[in-house]
Amino acid sequence: MHGAPTAASAGAVGTVVTRAAEQQVALRLTGIDKSFPGVRALDGVDLTVLSGEVHALVGENGAGKSTLMAVASGALAPDGGSVEIAGTRLTGASPDEARDLGLAIVRQDPALLPDLTVAENMAIGVGHRRVGGIHRAVAWSQARLDPWGMAIDPRSRVDELSVEQRFVVEIAKALALEPTVLILDEPTEHLNLDEVSRLFSRVREIVAGGAAVVYISHRIPEVKQISDRITVLRDGSVRGTFSTEEVDEAQIIERAIGRKLEAVFPPKGSEIGSVGTDEVLVVRGLQGEGFHGVDLTVRAGEIVGLAGVQGNGQAALLRALAGLAPAEGSVSVQGEPVPRGNLAARRSGIVYIPADRHAEGVFMSLDVAENISAATLPEVAGAGFVGTRRVLTRARQQIEQLGIKTPGPSTMVSALSGGNQQKVVLARTRLAAPRVLLAEEPTQGVDAGARVDIYQILRETADSGAAVLLLSSDGIELQGLCDRVLIMSRGRVVEELTGDEVTEAAIGRAALMSTQLRDRRDADRAGGFRRWIRGDHAPALVLGALLLLLGLVVSATNPAYLTPFNLNNLLFMAAPALFVGAAQQVVVLGSGFDLSVGPLMGLLVVLSSFWIVEGGNLWVGLGLMLGGALAVGLINGVLVTAFHVNPVVATLGMSMALQGVYLALRSTPGGIIFPTVSEWVQARFGFVPVVTVVAVAVLLVLELALRRTRWGLRLRATGSRADAAARLGIRTGRVRLGSYVLGSLLVLPAAVVMMAQIGIGDGRPALSYTLTSITVIVLAGTSIFGGRGSFLAVLVAALLVQQILNVSPLLGLSQAWSYWLPGLVTLAAALLYALARRGGLPSARRRRATTVAPGGRS
Amino acid sequence: MSTSERTSTPVAAPPRAAGHAGRTVARLFGGSWVPITVATVALLAVSPAIAPGSLGSASVLSMLPFAAVLAIAAAGQTLVVQQRGLDLSVPGMMALGAVLVTALPQQYGVGVVPAVVLAVLVPALFGLLNGVLVAVFGITPLVATLGMNAVLLGTVFAVSDGTPSGAADGLNRFTLDRTLGVPNTVIVAVVVIAVAAVVASRSIIGHRLTQIGVSERAAAAIGIRVNRYRLSAYGFAAACYGAAGLLLAGYAKTPPLFLGDSYLLPTVAAVVLGGTALTGGIASIAATAVAALFLSQLGQLLRSLGWPDSSQLIAQAVVLILVVVLRVVVPTAWQRWRGRSTS
């Protein structure tokens, strides 16, 4: 077809015929059934994939392709039927087992860990043995990525990569496993023509090597080009398997949708003349993040499609029009300019249907009726109070008119099938009487029946005089529904297709041809220093400078500061801060939180005061402390991992319980700590306390372990994205449990220092260390969501916190400052990091994490 | 995949009866006002049997003011939890309310009424600041409110100069008095809770707060100015803490400087017991208030059994963790049991 290395494809097709007889079955699915609430996703599906072939799986959104492959890869348990990989039957739903049998899958939502580097991701993905140890991972990954020519630096963090770079990493990872069965689920969605042809030549190579490839796509021309056989899936059933040579594109489309296009799509406004002359939506010179110089006009009654390779600004443009992202330029609706902001857009009659239905479309834990009236509450309210009965009546009307399948208006919307959830969104949208409707992938993860209804509703909305802008990655949908289609590339509208030009093939061709080049951020190749400054250790440098500066200022104003006595005191008191900071860091890296640090320290001090006293036994005392720390860590960890208790609640409860326990043991301070032990603990070299040296050493070891050991990798992986880590075979529960135990164990030395310092059994002075531990990690720039942090930064941050507390009396500050300083430092640090992290948008991080729209259950 | 597993609970069961029972079980342990009300009534009923006199009028009258204070503070915590936060600045906010209402008249000569107003308004401003940090700057609620708590305690220290002041006589008398036999503190609490509960569950504002709590992004997509609502949730929450602090200060006559320290866990416990999910969204202030009554009566019962305060801390923590764990364990176990019995 267009621009493909035709010689190679002809060769591949040619060999199939001759080899067909001796080909072995690489993947055999027999009688697969799978139901989701309200939907029969798969119905007795049989599929046989031979080694040495590219087997395409074709079907519309919601036909069951991804569900079928989730079953094949062991990620989802079927209700019935069996999966056989290379002749061995899968015993249960286990991705590990499937992988061991030689199956690799590239999903629409790549299993990548955003806070880890590319090399670390590849090492986890393919196993350390294949890579040859973590220290070789960079060179090994470089060798696997270079052929793609995407300028991916293996030392970059994944969250710094663009979407297509992430896909290439994911594909390279799967190829490195040397699979016998490789499943590619919509792999070209984010790729340009060049990248697609590179992917295809790799696919042909591995097929020539005897592997089988299952290729899922709704881009029919690509399927024609790459595959040997095609299986068509519709409504969860196989509608036939064909040799690719025997069918043409039109036949494939007809089989995928099961009827003529005209039967699925309502007549177009441009054909029956319902498109008005009013220019309802007029956009001039609009620019924002991801798009620029956009001019477009949508008239009343018109449905205009937005197409292009994903990530070329289509979605960003839609969000900006909905007022959800800042943009400059002019937008007007029926001649009235639209001010900034989502509320202003809404007031101008712009209504947005988001692609990510679960997170952004519906309110999952609210009922159907609430969802339907969500956007139009004032219409069902009197004097500011919502009329429940009116909400229900309206919901019943919409349920009936749109044929929403739900037990009733009070059913939670999460219990509905994808298609019916989307109909709820459309009901809400209809009630909002849009003048401009922005629909982003409205049929993703929607079953066939509902999809036809959705097309109907979109057309009716247009017919009622609204301007509809439809973003879709499905060419058939654009062909069937749109009066015009705009192709976007690199943030601009580059082509417009009208009338007879609006066909699946033309749209696909235009999108690919216009996106041959791409702006690539070569900053990723920047020098060592720039990478370092973006890295986890950078805060250490800034904090170190602050530490020195503060020291200089104070020593200039107060000579008492530089005395060995004060320095010794400062460093000695820094030891517990170092240990509790490290403890909190370990837990937070695994995306946990520990509020029981301070009270645990208090409990351990009180425990020590019963045995580490005159006539007691040091070892029993230490044993008790160790036992206490272990028990608390285990209980916290079990509550969080086994019982899924929110870490904050679990450790808040624990912290109160621990306070109760130590108060019950000693309601007033008592039990003089054996002085000899105190002296040991306070031993020093010159003015440098030994415990502080030990603490620094422990932190350095932890830092090394975090980067260089599998434990460190697993901990960061779990904290970065637990679901992806689990998919990669990491036992995230155990890792998190371990982090709580290790965290509590790190509190133990802090308690020993405290015990020596106060010399008496009293838990209360330790309470403030919970805040100290959190101040330290916040200062150190540790990601509070887990996955990223540096013990070097914790080291410097702990010293800085102690320094700040130490200097306030030297500067003659009142006692109020002993509260203000840690509080203000925590807030200021959190604020600075928050500002540094986001590039203008408050939720940049969250959005970045979800740039790749989840595939839904199709 | 996890979504589909979670969502399969309500309708996946073909046999109607089992499905209905399953829903009931899920509701009982998944959070609603019913279980906590039943538990509270049960607790009140068994109290006299366990400790004679623990439901006597003297006992109840000494418990109720504390329940009132806790209920008001917990109402605030409910608003924050609804926004998927957790407010760790409760102790500082209550202490600030208390110190303003006591120290301002005694040390600075401010009238009692303006002091009462300030004791609510000033914490509310700090609460708005919490909201700005969380909503506008995207700081984790935990870190923002923990840092804010330290700032508030410092402020309390600065305002009071480190020494507690006594509450003005007028305020003290009001909090100790009863109207028609009902302690004034309880009347205040009932009014505050009733207004807050009706607004939160019935008004447009309340519906929007719920929507934002369920999903900020979905709320933004339908044109709600999410940040404004989140800001005001934190502001109103702090006003509640301030009010709770001032009532407690009035009742205690000479309150300790940091009187809120022991209220952080109970507010969280009351919210959780009241059935509001920590994942945000649907919240019930009324249920939280009932839970506050439950916790206070539990404390009273333990006290009449001679338990020291330290054991009370443990008991509260155990109740909190137990309820949270049961909410996870019971529906899962039920699901498994039903799965076995139907297949």
Side-chain angles (χ1 to χ4, degrees):
Chain A
M1 305 334 91
H2 35 263
T6 39
S9 71
V13 173
T15 51
V16 171
V17 186
T18 53
R19 273 211 321 245
E22 72 235 39
Q23 274 174 326
Q24 291 168 342
V25 175
L27 174 69
R28 192 197 298 277
L29 305 174
T30 321
I32 304 288
D33 289 321
K34 180 72 196 174
S35 292
F36 291 117
V39 184
R40 179 134 209 178
L42 295 173
D43 190 0
V45 172
D46 295 321
L47 181 70
T48 305
V49 182
L50 304 174
S51 55
E53 75 164 342
V54 178
H55 195 122
L57 200 53
V58 173
E60 294 176 290
N61 280 341
K65 296 166 294 184
S66 295
T67 309
L68 186 63
M69 289 305 111
V71 169
S73 64
L76 193 64
D79 300 337
S82 71
V83 179
E84 237 176 71
I85 300 168
T88 312
R89 192 171 161 168
L90 216 55
T91 49
S94 152
D96 290 342
E97 195 186 343
R99 187 169 37 219
D100 290 343
L101 291 172
L103 183 136
I105 181 164
V106 175
R107 311 214 306 191
Q108 280 168 284
D109 162 30
L112 293 174
L113 305 156
D115 297 306
L116 272 59
T117 66
V118 171
E120 286 168 341
N121 265 286
M122 293 197 73
I124 290 178
V126 303
H128 300 270
R129 212 173 333 121
R130 227 182 269 267
V131 176
I134 295 169
H135 54 287
R136 298 237 183 87
V138 170
W140 186 91
S141 308
Q142 187 90 61
R144 304 281 164 315
L145 292 168
D146 275 350
W148 291 89
M150 298 280 285
I152 301 171
D153 185 340
R155 287 165 298 185
S156 306
R157 276 197 313 270
V158 163
D159 68 355
E160 293 174 346
L161 300 186
S162 63
V163 183
E164 71 274 8
Q165 284 175 323
R166 285 184 215 185
F167 257 86
V168 167
V169 171
E170 182 76 355
I171 294 170
K173 216 168 71 178
L175 290 174
L177 284 169
E178 293 160 10
T180 50
V181 182
L182 173 65
I183 300 172
L184 298 169
D185 191 352
E186 302 282 2
T188 56
E189 205 84 311
H190 300 276
L191 304 183
N192 66 23
L193 197 56
D194 237 22
E195 291 149 10
V196 169
S197 67
R198 237 173 265 140
L199 171 69
F200 282 6
S201 63
R202 291 290 290 130
V203 165
R204 291 200 181 89
E205 274 172 38
I206 70 163
V207 168
V213 172
V214 180
Y215 188 91
I216 302 176
S217 180
H218 51 228
R219 291 189 180 172
I220 311 293
E222 283 177 7
V223 165
K224 275 287 287 174
Q225 187 189 325
I226 187 74
S227 69
D228 301 314
R229 290 198 297 161
I230 298 176
T231 291
V232 177
L233 210 57
R234 172 164 32 97
D235 297 346
S237 300
V238 170
R239 307 290 165 158
T241 298
F242 313 93
S243 170
T244 306
E245 293 167 319
E246 290 166 11
V247 282
D248 64 18
E249 288 183 23
Q251 287 170 310
I252 300 173
I253 292 175
E254 210 176 295
R255 287 184 204 273
I257 59 174
R259 52 207 128 173
K260 299 263 179 235
L261 275 179
E262 300 79 66
V264 176
F265 295 100
K268 293 187 186 186
S270 49
E271 284 161 7
I272 59 170
S274 61
V275 174
T277 48
D278 273 13
E279 297 190 337
V280 177
L281 175 69
V282 178
V283 178
R284 290 288 172 264
L286 197 69
Q287 62 171 11
E289 203 177 324
F291 61 92
H292 50 100
V294 171
D295 295 331
L296 61 87
T297 304
V298 185
R299 283 170 294 175
E302 193 178 29
I303 299 184
V304 173
L306 267 185
V309 172
Q310 256 181 41
N312 274 276
Q314 306 94 306
L317 171 63
L318 228 55
R319 296 192 72 86
L321 289 176
L324 293 168
E328 286 163 43
S330 94
V331 178
S332 61
V333 173
Q334 288 177 336
E336 297 282 321
V338 180
R340 298 174 65 159
N342 58 343
L343 181 61
R346 173 72 193 83
R347 286 196 176 137
S348 305
I350 298 176
V351 181
Y352 171 56
I353 299 177
D356 187 352
R357 187 170 52 243
H358 287 184
E360 208 172 6
V362 291
F363 296 97
M364 270 301 199
S365 53
L366 297 184
D367 63 26
V368 171
E370 282 283 338
N371 266 287
I372 287 177
S373 283
T376 46
L377 284 175
E379 289 171 22
V380 283
F385 285 85
V386 176
T388 314
R389 206 166 301 152
R390 275 195 273 176
V391 169
L392 285 174
T393 315
R394 254 190 1 167
R396 285 200 194 92
Q397 285 167 0
Q398 292 295 324
I399 288 169
E400 200 194 311
Q401 285 172 16
L402 301 187
I404 301 171
K405 285 182 200 137
T406 168
S410 307
T411 304
M412 287 256 247
V413 84
S414 58
L416 269 53
S417 72
N420 285 301
Q421 286 177 358
Q422 193 69 335
K423 283 192 189 173
V424 169
V425 174
L426 283 159
R428 184 178 86 197
T429 305
R430 266 163 42 122
L431 288 171
R435 287 195 271 182
V436 173
L437 177 60
L438 310 169
E440 184 178 351
E441 303 286 4
T443 60
Q444 212 165 55
V446 164
D447 54 290
R451 201 168 45 243
V452 176
D453 295 341
I454 289 170
Y455 293 147
Q456 196 67 43
I457 299 168
L458 289 176
R459 180 48 76 183
E460 278 167 16
T461 310
D463 288 346
S464 70
V468 180
L469 199 54
L470 169 72
L471 191 168
S472 175
S473 53
D474 186 340
I476 305 175
E477 186 168 297
L478 291 169
Q479 174 183 347
L481 207 54
C482 293
D483 300 304
R484 280 189 293 143
V485 172
L486 304 174
I487 310 290
M488 282 190 78
S489 172
R490 299 164 75 193
R492 308 182 71 104
V493 175
V494 292
E495 212 173 324
E496 177 175 347
L497 305 174
T498 52
D500 291 344
E501 295 170 334
V502 181
T503 63
E504 200 268 329
I507 294 165
R509 191 161 45 236
L512 278 175
M513 300 301 277
S514 59
T515 316
Q516 300 210 31
L517 291 167
R518 216 194 281 266
D519 301 318
R520 204 147 275 144
R521 288 169 304 168
D522 289 327
D524 291 340
R525 286 273 181 196
F529 180 74
R530 283 193 56 190
R531 183 170 334 105
W532 190 85
I533 206 77
R534 281 204 312 261
D536 298 345
H537 301 308
L541 194 70
V542 181
L543 297 173
L546 273 176
L547 182 69
L548 280 181
L549 190 71
L550 189 60
L552 284 175
V553 169
V554 179
S555 55
T557 54
N558 192 330
Y561 176 74
L562 273 185
T563 56
F565 172 78
N566 185 55
L567 287 180
N568 174 265
N569 186 39
L570 168 65
L571 288 175
F572 183 72
M573 286 313 295
L578 286 165
F579 283 119
V580 294
Q584 191 69 256
Q585 167 100 331
V586 168
V587 177
V588 169
L589 278 172
S591 82
F593 215 85
D594 193 350
L595 288 175
S596 63
V597 168
L600 171 60
M601 210 167 136
L603 173 72
L604 298 182
V605 170
V606 168
L607 283 178
S608 76
S609 72
F610 287 96
W611 284 94
I612 309 181
V613 290
E614 186 77 65
N617 183 325
L618 174 65
W619 301 112
V620 174
L622 283 178
L624 262 180
M625 292 169 84
L626 181 66
L630 269 178
V632 168
L634 269 174
I635 295 174
N636 277 340
V638 167
L639 284 175
V640 170
T641 56
F643 295 107
H644 307 285
V645 178
N646 177 320
V648 178
V649 172
T651 59
L652 180 65
M654 176 58 83
S655 82
M656 292 296 165
L658 289 175
Q659 287 179 53
V661 172
Y662 73 61
L663 283 176
L665 290 173
R666 283 205 192 278
S667 54
T668 52
I672 306 294
I673 303 298
F674 198 53
T676 323
V677 178
S678 289
E679 278 162 29
W680 287 346
V681 176
Q682 297 186 25
R684 52 193 159 140
F685 312 123
F687 66 82
V688 181
V690 174
V691 282
T692 311
V693 176
V694 172
V696 169
V698 166
L699 262 71
L700 292 177
V701 169
L702 282 170
E703 174 61 34
L704 207 63
L706 189 65
R707 308 287 155 193
R708 293 296 163 87
T709 67
R710 290 189 195 181
W711 165 79
L713 224 51
R714 285 187 194 131
L715 180 62
R716 283 187 291 138
T718 303
S720 188
R721 233 188 100 192
D723 64 324
R727 248 155 72 187
L728 294 167
I730 293 173
R731 297 191 178 172
T732 52
R734 275 194 202 182
V735 172
R736 297 188 74 195
L737 176 64
S739 75
Y740 282 94
V741 173
L742 179 59
S744 290
L745 287 179
L746 282 166
V747 174
L748 176 62
V752 170
V753 177
M754 178 112 236
M755 165 194 94
Q757 194 236 341
I758 59 174
I760 195 165
D762 184 6
R764 272 158 291 205
L767 270 183
S768 65
Y769 276 92
T770 297
L771 176 61
T772 304
S773 71
I774 289 163
T775 308
V776 167
I777 62 148
V778 170
L779 264 179
T782 303
S783 163
I784 213 80
F785 309 102
R788 241 171 96 184
S790 150
F791 283 97
L792 288 185
V794 165
L795 172 63
V796 186
L799 291 174
L800 182 61
V801 167
Q802 204 50 52
Q803 161 114 316
I804 290 169
L805 291 177
N806 178 273
V807 299
S808 58
L810 288 179
L811 292 175
L813 296 175
S814 75
Q815 217 187 329
W817 284 95
S818 66
Y819 293 96
W820 273 334
L821 279 174
L824 289 173
V825 168
T826 309
L827 292 180
L831 198 61
L832 284 177
Y833 283 113
L835 289 175
R837 205 169 43 222
R838 70 180 215 203
L841 284 167
S843 49
R845 188 194 148 90
R846 244 169 298 141
R847 199 151 311 140
R848 217 176 328 127
T850 55
T851 7
V852 184
R857 47 172 119 95
S858 49
Chain B
M1 288 315 112
S2 64
T3 346
S4 49
E5 274 161 24
R6 222 180 306 127
T7 55
S8 63
T9 328
V11 285
R16 259 281 148 76
H20 186 74
R23 264 204 295 279
T24 313
V25 169
R27 200 178 307 143
L28 274 179
F29 290 91
S32 108
W33 58 273
V34 179
I36 185 61
T37 311
V38 171
T40 308
V41 170
L43 180 70
L44 290 172
V46 299
S47 287
I50 296 172
S54 62
L55 205 61
S57 74
S59 172
V60 169
L61 284 176
S62 72
M63 176 271 289
L64 279 179
F66 291 102
V69 167
L70 177 57
I72 295 174
Q77 187 71 269
T78 312
L79 287 173
V80 173
V81 171
Q82 181 177 44
Q83 300 304 317
R84 275 173 295 162
L86 202 65
D87 200 333
L88 300 184
S89 66
V90 173
M93 295 284 187
M94 285 181 67
L96 184 62
V99 84
L100 287 174
V101 86
T102 54
L104 287 185
Q106 203 183 52
Q107 297 182 18
Y108 301 85
V110 178
V112 176
V113 175
V116 166
V117 173
L118 284 174
V120 177
L121 278 187
V122 176
L125 288 178
F126 276 101
L128 284 178
L129 206 55
N130 270 339
V132 169
L133 291 171
V134 171
V136 180
F137 294 104
I139 298 178
T140 320
L142 215 59
V143 171
T145 56
L146 191 65
M148 188 58 75
N149 191 50
V151 171
L152 290 165
L153 293 180
T155 309
V156 168
F157 219 95
V159 170
S160 65
D161 229 359
T163 40
S165 314
D169 281 341
L171 180 68
N172 184 236
R173 238 178 293 118
F174 172 79
T175 49
L176 291 175
D177 266 359
R178 288 178 228 157
T179 307
L180 302 173
V182 184
N184 284 343
T185 46
V186 175
I187 294 175
V188 172
V190 167
V191 170
V192 169
I193 300 290
V195 171
V198 169
V199 169
S201 64
R202 300 266 168 231
S203 72
I204 293 186
I205 296 171
H207 278 252
R208 297 236 160 108
L209 283 172
T210 309
Q211 291 168 351
I212 296 167
V214 171
S215 168
E216 271 166 60
R217 292 176 58 203
I222 60 170
I224 296 176
R225 283 203 228 181
V226 171
N227 281 356
R228 292 195 178 188
Y229 284 90
R230 298 187 74 202
L231 272 178
S232 27
Y234 279 88
F236 276 111
C240 288
Y241 311 143
L246 89 87
L247 280 184
L248 187 57
Y251 188 78
K253 180 69 181 162
T254 314
L257 215 45
F258 294 163
L259 90 172
D261 285 358
S262 57
Y263 275 83
L264 173 59
L265 183 77
T267 58
V268 177
V271 172
V272 171
L273 262 55
T276 299
L278 291 157
T279 44
I282 296 172
S284 167
I285 288 177
T288 299
V290 176
L293 181 63
F294 175 88
L295 285 170
S296 304
Q297 176 61 22
L298 183 67
Q300 183 73 1
L301 183 61
L302 296 178
R303 216 169 288 127
S304 44
L305 286 173
W307 286 32
D309 282 353
S310 56
S311 317
Q312 301 243 12
L313 276 172
I314 303 176
Q316 283 172 348
V318 168
V319 167
L320 168 65
I321 297 296
L322 210 62
V323 168
V324 178
V325 168
L326 278 179
R327 278 208 187 120
V328 177
V329 172
V330 173
T332 324
W334 168 261
Q335 199 87 19
R336 216 169 281 163
W337 175 81
R338 200 191 57 195
R340 207 175 304 145
S341 63
T342 49
S343 65

